[in-house]
Amino acid sequence: MSSTLISRGESVTTGIETFEFQVEARQLLQLMIHSIYSNKDVFLRELVSNASDALDKLRLESLRDGNLEADTSDLHIAIEVDKEQRTLTVRDNGIGMSHDEVVQLIGTIANSGTAKFLQELKESKDAAASQDLIGQFGVGFYSSFMVADEVTLLTRRAGESQGTRWESSGEGTYSIAPADDAPQGTAVTLRLKPEDTEDALYDYASPRKVREIVKRYSDFITWPIRMAAEAPAKPAADSEEAGDDSAEEAAAPEVETVNSMKALWARSKDEVTDDEYHEFYKHISHDWSNPLETIRMQAEGTFEYQSLLFIPSRAPQDLYMRDHKRGVQLYVKRVFIMDDCEALMPEYLRFVKGVVDAADLSLNVSREALQQDRQIQLMRRRLVKKVLSTVKDTMSGAPERYTTFWKEFGPVLKEGLLGDFENREAILDLCSFATTRDAEEPTTLRQYVERMKEGQEHLYFMTGESRSMVESSPHMEAFREKGFEVLVLTDPIDELWVDAVPEFDGKPLRSIAKGQVDLDTDGEKDEETEAERERQKQDYADLLSWMTTTLSDSVKEVRLSSRLTTSPACIVGDTHDASPQLQNIYKAMGQELPEVKRILELNPTHPLVIGLRTAHGEREDDAGLAETAELLHGMALLAEGGELTDPARFIKLVAGRLEKTL
């Protein structure tokens, strides 16, 4: 709790605890209140969504805990408007919160990500991007302060006797106090700001406006949302005799349900608009932007289920965090069972949001049982294939949306190449890669295969930390000279999957930084070329043997290269050795791979290498030649972006050689 406040005061007589927001939290609240949203109506969507989640959780907990002392006979959401006091209350009789949960869930706006988030907000130039950032940060409850001068939260957790009251004006402090009169569930009461239509701040004390917002954003909520019914129009004579106000006060207002409560996934596609799908997505994902794709599925027969899935238009902030949650909810016959159901969607599709509603599962099924359930496994297979086929349709039918998808989720999708053997070909078909053919336009593997040179047997690639590093690598020289296209792979996951995927469409994948390279196609393999290579092997045999011995602490072999045209030397790995980048990845994860010695390749046509061969033939005992060999190896390491074992010694050797030239 100390991370969420600067100071705390407590009244002994009242039990009221006063907390002070951190500076960053105050800044965030002020941004939200004054400058973020063009559409302030969304505050009500957030409060109703939170209430719906609380009802889901209570029903689920009551199913799992038969001893829970909680009233589940009439679960609902109530919205109460007081026009005279200008207050709006959103009330539910769901799971509620304990005192500690209020501190943790309501008081933790100032978490470790706030500073980064604020910086992104300040750098964001347009309002839409700012709203997206807010949605990713997940502070929907605090959107209440856009429309309210003061917010009061009254809550009591189901099964407990003590309630809690939370209050704040959104300025510097908030208070928490015990509340003996709190009913089960949570009530959020807003003391509304005056109407200001120029600032898109409407009259949220108007029941008609509140109904309009509920119908637009929350009509699909599966719990009843209740409000006092609108009073029927009175005849003019009655109004004159009694007056409108007194007539309304005399009649007890009836309560009506203002949402349809129709689950979108259970309605036919013709009955649902895109706007309704989009609002449902925002409800379950707490995202503020529309989804990129909407995916519907309905399976009938021996095993029935319905699903409504979404591919977001941008990656959430926790996509690569260990404690991220997968976004598919499981229902059984419209009864909420669990959030982030891991059994329904593999790790590499963790960005998919949505709902799966099964007809034949037990209501008290556990996460452990789901992992072994045959029906769940069948559902998972079908859902995965549907998501992948949707991306493929987007790839061909809506290239701009596919480009967005790949930018946001491409590296995650490629994780599937490591474990999902059943769908590996389908995933490969969806991948796009940077290539030396065009600096701006990525390519698919199928497009690469179609462009392969006649006689080319391999799909060539190189991994690295950046495109510039790959393109400037000595390994690229012969490929560039002979016009061979090379895939430029710079995502960390690329280091892993290229070793797991041996081929595509019958063509082996080949790293240009590993093994021997022969770029002569069938038409170029003439007797003269072969004779020249054989002559070079004989001419350099003594030098290569001597250098292999001299550099034995650093390399496993020194040999001639067929991949160099301008550089004197480069370092390559054996075909199945781990690359330096892969070793660094494992090292960052705390797993050291066994040290692997690599191979130093020499360019037999480079003047430096020719000179070294001549000098070795004339004075092989010269100690300076060993230093030259060491320098060649060091330069090759630096050229590929590697690290020298002893930088100080390398600098000393270079300085000594430069001194002799003056």
Side-chain angles (χ1 to χ4, degrees):
M1 187 167 63
S2 61
S3 65
T4 66
L5 50 91
I6 292 178
S7 63
R8 167 180 173 177
E10 183 171 348
S11 168
V12 177
T13 57
T14 64
I16 298 175
E17 299 172 282
T18 301
F19 299 80
E20 184 174 320
F21 287 121
Q22 283 186 336
V23 174
E24 291 171 347
R26 290 201 299 272
Q27 290 175 346
L28 178 56
L29 280 171
Q30 292 307 306
L31 276 170
M32 294 183 67
I33 293 168
H34 298 297
S35 60
I36 294 297
Y37 297 104
S38 58
N39 179 12
K40 295 180 170 58
D41 293 355
V42 295
F43 84 93
L44 188 55
R45 178 184 70 190
E46 292 302 304
L47 295 182
V48 170
S49 181
N50 290 344
S52 174
D53 290 345
L55 295 171
D56 285 337
K57 290 174 182 176
L58 176 60
R59 181 162 64 176
L60 180 60
E61 193 159 326
S62 66
L63 287 171
R64 293 178 174 172
D65 183 1
N67 298 319
L68 181 67
E69 296 181 2
D71 181 8
T72 60
S73 60
D74 182 28
L75 299 180
H76 66 278
I77 301 167
I79 300 179
E80 301 160 5
V81 178
D82 188 325
K83 297 181 70 172
E84 291 187 1
Q85 298 296 322
R86 290 198 56 77
T87 61
L88 172 67
T89 299
V90 178
R91 187 187 311 277
D92 68 74
N93 55 350
I95 192 68
M97 289 179 282
S98 65
H99 173 276
D100 290 345
E101 287 172 328
V102 170
V103 173
Q104 178 185 358
L105 299 176
I106 304 299
T108 54
I109 187 171
N111 67 21
S112 59
T114 305
K116 177 177 181 293
F117 170 72
L118 283 168
Q119 185 62 35
E120 290 180 351
L121 273 181
K122 292 174 182 176
E123 293 174 356
S124 178
K125 302 300 181 184
D126 62 279
S130 297
Q131 291 189 33
D132 290 337
L133 287 170
I134 284 280
Q136 290 181 51
F137 196 69
V139 287
F141 169 78
Y142 283 89
S143 63
S144 302
F145 288 102
M146 294 187 299
V147 302
D149 288 323
E150 185 176 81
V151 177
T152 301
L153 179 141
L154 183 66
T155 185
R156 176 170 64 83
R157 183 170 178 83
E160 295 187 1
S161 59
Q162 180 69 59
T164 303
R165 183 185 304 273
W166 181 99
E167 290 184 321
S168 178
S169 62
E171 295 293 335
T173 63
Y174 60 92
S175 65
I176 297 178
D180 297 330
D181 58 342
Q184 170 188 302
T186 300
V188 180
T189 299
L190 314 183
R191 184 161 59 81
L192 297 166
K193 297 178 179 179
E195 181 180 3
D196 183 358
T197 53
E198 290 186 2
D199 190 34
L201 182 61
Y202 300 107
D203 183 9
Y204 298 111
S206 164
R208 183 168 297 178
K209 177 63 176 177
V210 171
R211 280 189 180 84
E212 172 200 319
I213 296 173
V214 171
K215 292 294 290 183
R216 187 187 327 140
Y217 292 122
S218 307
D219 190 60
F220 53 81
I221 297 290
T222 54
W223 302 104
I225 303 174
R226 297 172 183 166
M227 289 184 65
E230 290 187 272
K234 298 292 182 181
D238 293 346
S239 297
E240 290 175 3
E241 293 176 7
D244 289 338
D245 294 338
S246 60
E248 287 185 13
E249 291 172 2
E254 295 183 5
V255 175
E256 64 179 2
T257 298
V258 295
N259 62 320
S260 68
M261 295 187 296
K262 292 182 179 178
L264 260 64
W265 61 88
R267 294 161 60 181
S268 68
K269 192 173 183 180
D270 296 338
E271 296 179 3
V272 187
T273 66
D274 286 344
D275 285 344
E276 288 177 305
Y277 281 135
H278 294 169
E279 291 307 325
F280 179 72
Y281 162 75
K282 293 171 184 176
H283 164 68
I284 62 173
S285 68
H286 299 287
D287 191 359
W288 294 71
S289 53
N290 290 334
L292 193 67
E293 296 291 345
T294 301
I295 307 170
R296 286 181 57 105
M297 277 188 71
Q298 182 163 338
E300 298 178 345
T302 55
F303 181 47
E304 297 183 359
Y305 64 91
Q306 298 167 311
S307 68
L308 180 57
L309 304 178
F310 301 93
I311 298 176
S313 56
R314 65 174 64 223
Q317 286 189 334
D318 65 348
L319 187 63
Y320 296 99
M321 296 181 182
R322 287 186 176 181
D323 57 351
H324 71 270
K325 292 184 178 180
R326 287 177 233 182
V328 178
Q329 300 175 352
L330 176 63
Y331 282 69
V332 174
K333 297 177 182 177
R334 314 286 163 78
V335 176
F336 174 78
I337 301 300
M338 68 180 67
D339 264 325
D340 58 289
C341 183
E342 298 176 1
L344 285 173
M345 202 61 64
E347 180 80 1
Y348 73 92
L349 293 179
R350 58 186 177 271
F351 53 85
V352 175
K353 309 292 183 184
V355 166
V356 176
D357 190 350
D360 303 311
L361 291 175
S362 168
L363 288 176
N364 60 357
V365 66
S366 66
R367 290 185 183 272
E368 293 73 21
L370 285 176
Q371 299 292 342
Q372 308 300 325
D373 190 279
R374 187 187 66 82
Q375 292 179 333
I376 288 288
Q377 292 174 356
L378 179 61
M379 287 168 55
R380 173 184 170 122
R381 290 180 64 189
R382 291 178 178 174
L383 292 170
V384 168
K385 290 185 182 298
K386 183 64 174 178
V387 171
L388 296 180
S389 67
T390 298
V391 176
K392 187 171 185 178
D393 291 342
T394 304
M395 193 178 194
S396 57
E400 290 184 1
R401 291 213 302 274
Y402 167 78
T403 299
T404 298
F405 167 83
W406 189 254
K407 174 177 174 287
E408 298 293 328
F409 304 111
V412 183
L413 187 71
K414 285 188 284 189
E415 292 176 13
L417 296 172
L418 297 172
D420 191 350
F421 305 107
E422 180 180 355
N423 294 297
R424 177 175 283 175
E425 287 298 319
I427 297 172
L428 281 174
D429 266 331
L430 299 178
C431 293
S432 291
F433 304 101
T435 173
T436 55
R437 177 177 177 269
D438 190 315
E440 303 296 331
E441 189 70 23
T443 190
T444 65
L445 294 184
R446 200 160 298 283
Q447 290 169 334
Y448 181 103
V449 170
E450 292 171 355
R451 293 195 298 264
M452 284 174 64
K453 294 167 68 75
E454 186 176 352
Q456 182 179 343
E457 298 177 354
H458 300 91
L459 284 81
Y460 292 114
F461 70 86
M462 184 172 177
T463 60
E465 294 182 2
S466 66
R467 183 184 184 101
S468 61
M469 183 177 293
V470 170
E471 288 190 325
S472 61
S473 169
H475 302 98
M476 194 73 75
E477 292 174 1
F479 291 86
R480 185 181 297 111
E481 182 180 80
K482 296 203 171 190
F484 282 88
E485 184 175 357
V486 178
L487 301 175
V488 180
L489 309 181
T490 56
D491 288 330
I493 189 65
D494 293 330
E495 295 288 349
L496 300 171
W497 75 259
V498 291
D499 287 334
V501 179
E503 63 175 35
F504 174 79
D505 199 25
K507 303 290 186 180
L509 275 77
R510 181 75 176 272
S511 170
I512 68 169
K514 289 184 180 182
Q516 295 275 13
V517 167
D518 183 1
L519 297 185
D520 292 334
T521 57
D522 291 337
E524 297 174 325
K525 292 181 179 178
D526 53 33
E527 293 183 4
E528 185 176 340
T529 301
E530 292 297 319
E532 173 65 15
R533 289 183 178 175
E534 192 59 36
R535 183 184 64 78
Q536 288 176 341
K537 285 182 181 179
Q538 294 177 3
D539 290 347
Y540 280 90
D542 289 344
L543 177 67
L544 297 178
S545 177
W546 171 76
M547 287 187 67
T548 298
T549 302
T550 301
L551 300 175
S552 59
D553 289 343
S554 304
V555 302
K556 67 169 65 174
E557 180 187 358
V558 181
R559 69 189 184 200
L560 296 183
S561 178
S562 58
R563 71 188 91 212
L564 296 174
T565 60
T566 58
S567 297
C570 69
I571 296 179
V572 301
D574 262 347
T575 304
H576 301 293
D577 283 351
S579 68
Q581 292 84 4
L582 183 59
Q583 289 179 315
N584 289 336
I585 289 174
Y586 276 100
K587 186 176 182 180
M589 295 189 297
Q591 303 177 39
E592 292 279 356
L593 292 180
E595 186 177 351
V596 176
K597 290 183 181 180
R598 300 169 71 207
I599 299 165
L600 178 64
E601 288 192 351
L602 304 182
N603 180 357
T605 63
H606 193 280
L608 176 57
V609 177
I610 294 173
L612 180 59
R613 183 196 67 186
T614 302
H616 178 263
E618 294 174 350
R619 52 183 196 282
E620 64 178 276
D621 295 330
D622 186 345
L625 296 181
E627 293 181 352
T628 302
E630 191 177 341
L631 285 170
L632 258 179
H633 175 252
M635 289 190 297
L637 264 178
L638 293 174
E640 69 165 12
E643 296 182 1
L644 298 169
T645 304
D646 189 347
R649 174 172 171 76
F650 182 82
I651 295 298
K652 181 180 179 181
L653 291 177
V654 171
R657 294 304 173 94
L658 289 174
E659 182 182 345
K660 293 178 181 178
T661 65
L662 298 176

